[in-house]
Amino acid sequence: MTLLRSLVAYFAMIMIGLAHLTFAQSAQAPTPETSRLAGYTSQSSKTERDWEKKLQAGILPENLRQNMQRLSARPHHVGSPYDKENGDWILSKFKEWGFDARIETFQVLFPTPKERIVEMIEPTKFRAKLQEPAVPGDPTSNQIAEQLPTYNAYSIDGDVTAPLVYVNYGNREDYEQLDRLGISVKGAIVIARYGEGWRGIKPKVAAEHEAIGCIIYSDPKDDGFFNGDDYPKGGWRPRDGVQRGSVMDTDYPGDPLTPGVGATAGAKRLDIKDAKTITKIPVLPISWGDALPLLSALQGPVAPEAWRGALPITYHVGPGPAKVHLKVASNWDLKPVNDVIATLRGSDAPDEWVIRGNHYDAWVNGAEDPISGMVTVLEEARVLGELHKQGWNPKRTIILCAWDGEEPGLLGSTEWVETHRDELQKHAVAYINSDSNDRGFFRAGGTHDLQHLINDVTRDIQDPEKHISVQQRARLWRLVNAHNAEERAEIRKSDDVQIRALGDGSDYTAFIDHAGIPGLNVGFGGEDDGGAYHSVYDDGDAYHSIYDDFYWYTKFMDTDFSFGRALAQTGGTAVMRLADADVIPYEYNAEAETIGHYVKDLEKLLKDKQDEIAERNLELKEGVFTATADPRKTYVPPPAKVVPPFMNFAPLQNGVEAIKKSAERYQSAFAKWQTGETNLPALTAAALNAELMQVQRTFLTEKGLPERPWFKHQVYAPGAYTGYGAKPIAAVREYMDQEKWKEAEAQVPIVGQVLENVAAAIGKAADDLEKAVAQGR
């Protein structure tokens, strides 16, 4: 009965959402065929829609399938023969379709494993296989000679033996729980499960707590049989599946030896020992099959309920009696990364660049990650080339990028942006990224000046399964999955679906966080048979294993490539919409509102921290923290903490209000220009667009974030302990998370001034557009 009631409630909510949306759209929104596009006149809107329809009709799923099969036919990690062959093939296709294309090569540090050992030496002997077996019927899973072994790139070399401690996901809050249990990891090797945080944070936090080694395993509760049938019966990670991946620290992405500058052949490089992004302790990933004997041998306290996975054991924390030997040794070589850059020159504003990208390197065969996204960019390129031959000429230059070296640490895109930063800051309109793509709901992240644009684009794309717009289905998903009535009311307030902030994790990072270029990351997911609706940490299904190949993808993911077609339609339409607009369609009301939410989040964080620390200090006073599990050791409780003082957030609040006022003025002038059909002279439009392109750059400071100067954006950035996950207004929030209250408050006026500068930049554009509209009447 409980399940029946849940299903009834679920479908009722969907029907309510459909009814609301149908009424709202019929009452408020014009039909796509008759509406004026943002940034266009009535006439240019009609012309643009005609060309966009041709692009959308021209995308062919069979091309996506064939290109995936070709690109994922063999392992193609950085420096491998097939990675180079794929880059050359992509280059030839861009040229065939009429683009001016070239390869830019960078030399980067990319370690590959030489020796890997995980073995238990007490209380029994066990040696981990560290090998994924081929699957009968899967024709590429047996390409063992070409596959990178299971490892974590940028782990320091090390040979350590120590007692084992289970640390759940290995995040900072897990170590606070260990404190409550009276357990220290000093001198131990920790074992953490993948999930609930980026993998590179796990060895980082372990080292900060004086562990000497780290093992990361995939628990089936997170991405295995607990969720559905595992491979090959289903799409979930099997017993011996291992998640490879980089554990590079998030001080900066890209080549560890050339921070801030392009890794060209003659670039000055750091010594490896001085590279800040290499781990402090050795780390290796293993399967749950290899983890089971290790975890089974642990004693000590029973793990808290939230720490228990799906293995058929009682989860103990340790330490010991399991004692483990961990050895990691790598070849620390420079390898080439080959970025393929294709250009279609604009007719009216060739010095304004719309950039679209996806990476093509993989840990192994990489059908889902990244080839499912790469083939959509290739199909967009093919159709754009055809339209160009039919007479369509983009006003702005379009640059399509196939990045190499994303998997180890955003190597290709970061080095390209660092090399061309000055040009990009002068010319770039926006960067649109995708990575992997599956079946389900549209999701987007990015800078919020592009939120309205991507909503407008996805209103014009039909969902392949529900035959409503992609945007409408995404909004329904948000309504159904809202946490409470207040959140649903917030969603209903706007016709647009809110996009999320981006941190780190794919090739948009250098564009947004380092160069201040408006950006989007787009894709579909959530309804395939392998759990590929990933969290921001992408830990599900066959991710980064030998099983992420063409056979697995076409059996369990986007089996008919209909969602690949929808992504290509979305990406291609967004590129055309930006390339052809008379006035670049940035929208600043959403940006202002979103930053306002971020400031309120900081205020709430302070209040929550005050309550949390006061409660913790009371626990200490009352002796709630337990004694150590080892009676031979004296338990030393953690010290009391200082309750956070009052913080003055007024500079941030004032900055937000200034941006809101400037945004309202600009959007009002923008609406008057469009509705009034005011003719903007070419020179006036060019000057206005040049101003608008600089607004997002105004969020940058040359000094960057405290302790992480490569990250220069003062609103969008990853957290030092979140990896992929965004931590908006990181200059303030990072210090608050570390409970450094004076340092946090010192950053408030600095960020507040940045917001004031942004408001002034938007205000200047509003002034100029208002004058142009007044003169054009």
Side-chain angles (χ1 to χ4, degrees), residues 22 36 74 115 160 163 218 270 303 393 436 576 584 604 607 621 646 667 672 721 725 729 731 756:
T22 302
R36 186 183 292 111
R74 308 206 72 80
E115 188 173 6
V160 295
S218 298
L270 300 173
N393 291 298
S436 55
M576 292 183 74
I584 302 171
K604 182 178 184 300
K607 177 65 168 60
K621 185 177 180 181
F646 168 80
Q667 297 307 146
K672 286 178 182 177
Y721 290 87
I729 315 184
E756 296 280 1

Side-chain angles (χ1 to χ4, degrees), residues 278-401:
I278 296 170
T279 67
K280 302 298 188 290
I281 60 175
V283 53
L284 273 178
I286 63 175
S287 66
W288 71 257
D290 277 342
L292 182 57
L294 306 180
L295 294 168
S296 298
L298 285 175
Q299 293 299 315
V302 174
E305 185 174 354
W307 289 33
R308 301 169 198 169
L311 295 175
I313 59 171
T314 299
Y315 283 72
H316 289 271
V317 176
K323 194 172 187 179
V324 171
H325 173 218
L326 169 66
K327 184 175 183 180
V328 181
S330 294
N331 298 299
W332 294 86
D333 301 325
L334 293 184
K335 297 282 173 56
V337 293
N338 300 298
D339 294 336
V340 189
I341 310 297
T343 302
L344 187 62
R345 185 174 172 81
S347 59
D348 295 11
D351 290 337
E352 297 175 10
W353 303 346
V354 178
I355 309 171
R356 171 81 169 103
N358 202 100
H359 75 99
Y360 67 91
D361 70 292
W363 283 111
V364 196
N365 296 74
E368 179 195 28
D369 182 12
I371 300 304
S372 61
M374 188 66 242
V375 295
T376 69
V377 176
L378 290 174
E379 186 65 357
E380 291 166 34
R382 182 189 68 80
V383 179
L384 289 173
E386 286 186 3
L387 296 184
H388 188 54
K389 291 174 185 175
Q390 295 170 21
W392 169 72
N393 291 298
K395 290 183 178 179
R396 296 179 178 84
T397 294
I398 294 172
I399 301 176
L400 303 182
C401 307

